[in-house]
Amino acid sequence: MFDLTGMSALVTGASGGIGSAVARALAAQGARLAISGSNVEKLEAFRAELGDDHVALPCNLSDGAAVDALVPQAVEALGQLDILVNNAGVTRDNLAMRMKDEEWDQVIRVNLEAAFRLCRAAAKPMMKARFGRIISITSVVGATGNPGQANYAASKAGLVGMSKALAQELASRGITVNCVAPGFIRSAMTDVLPDAQKEALTARIPAGKLGEGDDIGAAVVYLASREATYVTGQTLHVNGGMAMI
Amino acid sequence: MSETADRVKKIVVEHLGVEAEKVTEDASFIDDLGADSLDIVELVMAFEEEFGVEIPDDAAEKISTVKDAISFIDANKG
């Protein structure tokens, strides 16, 4: 089950906490990867760790032309593209009343617009192959909202709506389009939080602990697999029960 | 029938799974051959590949019959 041997995947934001866990999980199931990210050094080091079967494709996702070139680059490097994981995301938190235009624009451009551009480009080779898996990493915040994150919540909810539209357009061609919505996942960002704050955070989670990157990787592997062929337009919430939607 | 027409017809037959006799030059992809909008996108992609032409979106929107496709390709192929 869930064997990805012979499949090729593009993962954006692959050098980050969740992104690297997703990339490792896909590679462990046999997929060949094109990993993308903006930090070239980190990305190359991660590629070296994954092995020579995989390629690193640095990309600045706020540059539309660079984003449009990314899928063709991945197809060129891997020979095909079966799986696209839109994982890259940024935050520019601020109360809405204080939010600058740039803070709004930057988050929407990287989290939502870049994902759309990649989906648009990936649909072409996937349609030809009559097979494809598009998985976007959204967030519990896209469903529940979060003060200080009007831009981020909008971008993540936007991914869900976009994926449902795409799922309907592409279902007849063997392409599924889904989202994975992580709750609180342990990362370098959460590790530095004071203990009191961590306790307050986990008190809201029925599972009683933060999630791990591997929990997200496993969800992505499932949706990427051939076995998930009848699942499309869905959002898989991986949040320890903190929001049941 | 021109060579272009033969190749276009072959692609249409293969892609839409229709009988060759139905693919006349006046046949409309959507009304006569049962294509949907996604089929049109795919046909355009297949024509681009087969003939090495680029069919821009505004031109693709005007291709509604088999003859439209043949004319565009004949006028634009290298």
Side-chain angles (χ1 to χ4, degrees), chain A:
Chain A
M1 292 272 266
F2 315 135
D3 182 12
L4 305 181
T5 304
M7 290 164 75
S8 300
L10 169 62
V11 181
T12 66
S15 55
I18 290 178
S20 58
V22 167
R24 279 195 194 93
L26 292 170
Q29 295 307 107
R32 279 185 71 210
L33 305 184
I35 54 170
S36 187
S38 53
N39 183 330
V40 179
E41 256 173 53
K42 243 171 114 179
L43 194 67
E44 286 294 348
F46 184 42
R47 205 234 20 106
E49 181 200 318
L50 286 172
D52 290 338
D53 283 350
H54 311 285
V55 296
L57 300 174
C59 183
N60 171 7
L61 290 185
S62 51
D63 175 349
V67 177
D68 287 341
L70 188 55
V71 165
Q73 285 169 0
V75 172
E76 166 105 32
L78 302 172
Q80 65 189 62
L81 184 64
D82 305 293
I83 304 162
L84 166 65
V85 183
N86 290 310
N87 164 73
V90 295
T91 54
R92 296 285 183 275
D93 295 355
N94 212 339
L95 289 173
M97 289 177 71
R98 296 190 174 279
M99 190 171 284
K100 310 274 182 298
D101 289 353
E102 300 79 51
E103 290 169 338
W104 174 268
D105 289 343
Q106 178 71 9
V107 167
I108 297 296
R109 194 173 307 132
V110 172
N111 297 12
L112 184 56
E113 185 186 316
F116 170 70
R117 286 175 181 273
L118 294 172
C119 288
R120 183 172 60 184
K124 203 170 174 178
M126 289 178 178
M127 257 169 67
K128 272 192 199 162
R130 288 288 188 271
F131 180 89
R133 297 283 184 262
I134 297 175
I135 299 147
S136 295
I137 307 301
T138 169
S139 166
V140 63
V141 159
T144 63
N146 198 28
Q149 294 199 306
N151 49 3
Y152 186 76
S155 73
K156 294 301 187 179
L159 284 174
V160 173
M162 178 186 79
S163 298
K164 289 178 179 177
L166 275 168
Q168 293 180 40
E169 289 184 19
L170 299 173
S172 64
R173 301 305 192 266
I175 302 169
T176 67
V177 188
N178 293 288
C179 292
V180 172
F184 282 116
I185 301 300
R186 203 166 63 78
S187 68
M189 213 159 44
T190 57
D191 281 346
V192 298
L193 292 175
D195 283 346
Q197 207 172 333
K198 267 191 236 176
E199 274 169 37
L201 214 60
T202 49
R204 293 169 51 200
I205 305 171
K209 59 180 180 182
L210 300 189
E212 302 290 331
D214 291 347
D215 297 326
I216 308 306
V220 171
V221 162
Y222 167 64
L223 291 171
S225 71
R226 292 179 181 84
E227 286 80 358
T229 185
Y230 204 50
V231 178
T232 194
Q234 304 300 314
T235 299
L236 183 47
H237 288 269
V238 183
N239 60 27
M242 74 173 279
M244 302 188 185
I245 302 146

